[in-house]
Amino acid sequence: TTLKHKGASWVKIVLIDRSFSPGFTLLEMLVVLVLLGLLTSLVGPRLSGSLKHAERVYELDLLSQNLAFVGRVARYRGQRLLIERLPDPQWKDQPPVEVPPGWSAAFSPALEVGVNGVCSESRVFVRHDGEEALSADLVVQPMTCEVRQDARS
């Protein structure tokens, strides 16, 4: 810093040393990248597992919603439905309920749905046979075909 006299006032002149630039060195950048890679390798598998679990929960919810429409399916088709398990070979062309891949459902007693869309009461044991096993006990309510979580489970 130097001061120079210019006319009636003094002017302060600041000299900047350009040999030192305020940035990061290549070594510092490499260290940061290595640390980010380590953190990603630790957190990545956990995040992937929670995403798979969330997908399975979504599929279970979707299956429950599809089961609730079985009364409407019977009315639309104009036929009585008797469902013991899903997926079931007897429904290969047009299943009454769309089942996500890897899922299965067993009804106890068999779910009876009249032509008018009225359901009998039935317990449903639903499970997924993938890497992460997930299961649930559901109850199909009589008359309305509403699906609820079984209070006993």
Side-chain angles (χ1 to χ4, degrees):
T1 303
T2 60
L3 291 176
K4 287 191 174 181
H5 186 271
K6 191 170 191 174
S9 63
W10 287 86
V11 176
K12 183 178 180 180
I13 298 175
V14 178
L15 300 174
I16 299 174
D17 182 12
R18 293 277 181 203
S19 65
F20 174 77
S21 64
F24 297 107
T25 65
L26 181 60
L27 182 62
E28 291 169 330
M29 294 297 286
L30 287 174
V31 168
V32 168
L33 288 175
V34 166
L35 290 174
L36 285 174
L38 285 172
L39 284 174
T40 303
S41 68
L42 293 174
V43 174
R46 288 185 184 176
L47 182 61
S48 174
S50 63
L51 288 176
K52 282 183 183 178
H53 180 75
E55 184 178 347
R56 298 293 172 256
V57 169
Y58 168 76
E59 289 172 348
L60 177 62
D61 186 51
L62 184 64
L63 180 56
S64 297
Q65 289 176 18
N66 289 347
L67 278 172
F69 280 101
V70 76
R72 293 179 184 158
V73 171
R75 271 196 319 249
Y76 175 76
R77 291 184 183 178
Q79 70 184 77
R80 181 177 166 269
L81 302 175
L82 182 64
I83 305 170
E84 295 176 3
R85 63 188 167 139
L86 290 171
D88 193 337
Q90 74 170 337
W91 305 107
K92 59 185 168 208
D93 293 336
Q94 289 183 321
V97 176
E98 193 67 35
V99 180
W103 286 91
S104 62
F107 296 81
S108 175
L111 179 64
E112 295 180 51
V113 186
V115 177
N116 59 358
V118 174
C119 292
S120 65
E121 183 173 9
S122 181
R123 265 183 105 224
V124 188
F125 180 70
V126 183
R127 64 181 241 180
H128 185 272
D129 292 327
E131 302 163 3
E132 177 191 335
L134 187 65
S135 62
D137 286 332
L138 305 173
V139 174
V140 178
Q141 300 292 317
M143 302 294 287
T144 62
C145 300
E146 191 175 323
V147 179
R148 299 214 173 145
Q149 192 80 21
D150 189 1
R152 294 179 284 184
S153 62

